[in-house]
Amino acid sequence: MVARRTVRSAAAGIGVLAAATSTGDKGLVLAATMLANAVATGAWTAAYPTFTELFPTHPRAAGIGTSVVVGRIGGLSPR
């Protein structure tokens, strides 16, 4: 299944990032961060087609719309 492979890939990317962070090597941390970012982007890209197969149109649209609103509100918060 695509979803299981996506979750495993995301977990592997986070694991590589954690291992690289523990070394303290800036180049390795940068490379691991880029890998984790690529895997996370791929996971979200794979999520949308998976959601279209799992959920009916109305709940799916409401859920994605809500997540977009929450993300935008979170983007407005001060750092």
Side-chain angles (χ1 to χ4, degrees):
M1 269 186 108
V2 173
R4 290 183 185 174
R5 279 185 272 159
T6 302
V7 170
R8 283 189 215 132
S9 297
I14 292 170
V16 168
L17 181 59
T21 303
S22 67
T23 65
D25 181 19
K26 290 180 182 179
L28 190 57
V29 171
L30 178 63
T33 301
M34 291 172 65
L35 174 68
N37 189 11
V39 170
T41 301
W44 275 111
T45 302
Y48 287 113
T50 303
F51 292 159
T52 61
E53 295 175 3
L54 293 176
F55 300 107
T57 303
H58 184 38
R60 182 180 69 236
I64 290 177
T66 302
S67 69
V68 168
V69 168
V70 169
R72 291 187 180 193
I73 291 171
L76 295 174
S77 65
R79 295 179 197 243

